[in-house]
Amino acid sequence: MPDAYAAIVEPVLDWYAEHARDLPWRRPDADPWAVLVSEFMLQQTPVSRVLPAYEAWLARWPTPKHLAAEEPGEAVRQWGRLGYPRRALRLHAAAVAITERHSGEVPAAYEALRALPGVGAYTAAAVASFAFRQRHAVLDTNVRRVLARAVRGEEHPPPSTTAGEWRLAESLLPAEPERAARWAAASMELGALVCTARAPRCADCPIAARCAWRLAGKPPGPPRRGQSYAGTDRQVRGLLLAVLREADGPVPQAALDAVWPDAAQRARALDGLVADGLVEPLDDGRYRLPASPPR
DNA sequence: CACTCGTGGGT
DNA sequence: TACCCAAGAGT
């Protein structure tokens, strides 16, 4: 494609300068720890629900060392109803690793970030880019959708990230690190605010004139199977963990039995929570949030 | 690679 | 109202 950079990157950067949201983790006082916390919370969770949880978390644990000194169960409790509570456990484990291996400072190197619990390719690139202003391809669901439409002419990106998507993202990366970091945030913001999954606002899009998908008449992509929830183990796990979160201390078996009628599924869900280290069984038959990290 | 893992708001 | 799906990671 001829000069995709000028056709895509520059208009999106200009658009971002006008339309960027004032999010707390983008402000100058957001240090690398704050950025890391925001990225954990934003994994599969909308911004609007993260905002209050982010503020409360950092008020309680302003540095990795503060969190590392706590029991992991306290992280799970503070996580509240953000969903996917294993993230809380991994964020706690990351704080421990940062304290032990990096003197309590969030590392700047991509590989060191990637080695932290709960930090995958996206989060490592995002923290290196947003907190340390480095040059990395930051490929989240928003960017993948923007590129799928604007460049590939398809409504949705593939189910899982492909090598081709990474190649494309890297080919568009501005040479200057600061500019690359701004592009990362800008392309995500465009996907979040304009090039949305459901009802894209093409009239407000800075690259609509060159968007391959729009120019092709917005052909609908193949149907994608939705994630079912009602009646699954995930729902039962959520109900069980909610009881433990809201209790002050250990909870008797009967309190957990009350949340779901199917005893077999209930047992399977509870076993899963124990296996994940989210719940600790006591010798007296009661259960509690974990007091010590799983080794 | 396919599957699992929470929760709640938007359409 | 019933879906759809949201700054993914780990297995």
Side-chain angles (χ1 to χ4, degrees):
Chain A
M1 71 189 40
D3 208 5
Y5 182 86
I8 293 178
V9 175
E10 291 177 1
V12 172
L13 281 170
D14 290 343
W15 171 87
Y16 184 67
E18 289 293 320
H19 297 92
R21 288 170 292 179
D22 175 31
L23 299 173
W25 43 87
R26 288 178 180 161
R27 292 173 192 158
D29 63 326
D31 61 16
W33 170 242
V35 173
L36 183 67
V37 168
S38 77
E39 291 302 335
F40 267 83
M41 292 185 169
L42 288 163
Q43 290 170 4
Q44 298 287 283
T45 301
V47 167
S48 61
R49 284 176 48 216
V50 166
L51 286 170
Y54 167 87
E55 302 290 357
W57 191 279
L58 289 175
R60 181 169 179 184
W61 299 308
T63 71
K65 286 183 182 175
H66 286 93
L67 177 56
E70 288 270 9
E71 294 181 349
E74 281 308 299
V76 174
R77 180 173 283 111
Q78 183 68 39
W79 197 254
R81 305 187 64 79
L82 274 184
Y84 291 150
R86 292 189 295 191
R87 291 182 292 166
L89 222 44
R90 292 180 184 141
L91 181 51
H92 180 274
V96 171
I98 290 166
T99 300
E100 292 178 349
R101 305 205 295 259
H102 302 286
S103 307
E105 300 293 328
V106 175
Y110 173 90
E111 290 303 335
L113 289 163
R114 181 68 185 76
L116 296 173
V119 176
Y122 161 76
T123 301
V127 174
S129 180
F130 300 151
F132 297 104
R133 314 308 293 176
Q134 294 171 23
R135 182 177 181 273
H136 294 277
V138 179
L139 203 48
D140 81 320
T141 187
N142 292 302
V143 179
R144 294 180 63 219
R145 187 174 53 251
V146 168
L147 297 183
R149 289 174 178 170
V151 179
R152 294 178 42 117
E154 294 173 0
E155 184 181 19
H156 297 296
S160 56
T161 311
T162 65
E165 290 181 271
W166 283 109
R167 275 197 303 275
L168 173 59
E170 281 158 14
S171 76
L172 291 174
L173 211 50
E176 285 292 327
E178 171 56 31
R179 193 173 172 84
R182 234 176 15 247
W183 156 249
S187 52
M188 288 173 64
E189 193 79 334
L190 185 67
L193 298 182
V194 174
C195 193
T196 54
R198 198 75 65 87
R201 304 167 54 190
C202 299
D204 299 328
C205 181
I207 54 174
R210 95 76 85 201
C211 175
W213 181 58
R214 193 190 65 83
L215 293 172
K218 301 188 187 179
R224 305 186 296 172
R225 15 172 276 280
Q227 36 186 341
S228 57
Y229 181 66
T232 63
D233 286 1
R234 284 154 80 182
Q235 182 183 16
V236 182
R237 286 168 58 112
L239 294 170
L240 290 170
L241 204 57
V243 171
L244 290 157
R245 234 178 11 234
E246 288 147 25
D248 284 331
V251 163
Q253 178 83 53
L256 299 179
D257 289 345
V259 306
W260 195 255
D262 182 342
Q265 186 176 23
R266 215 171 52 224
R268 188 169 65 242
L270 185 55
D271 284 349
L273 289 169
V274 172
D276 286 346
L278 282 164
V279 173
E280 239 174 51
L282 299 179
D283 291 336
D284 62 8
R286 295 182 300 166
Y287 295 88
R288 68 174 177 188
L289 296 180
S292 56
R295 295 292 182 182

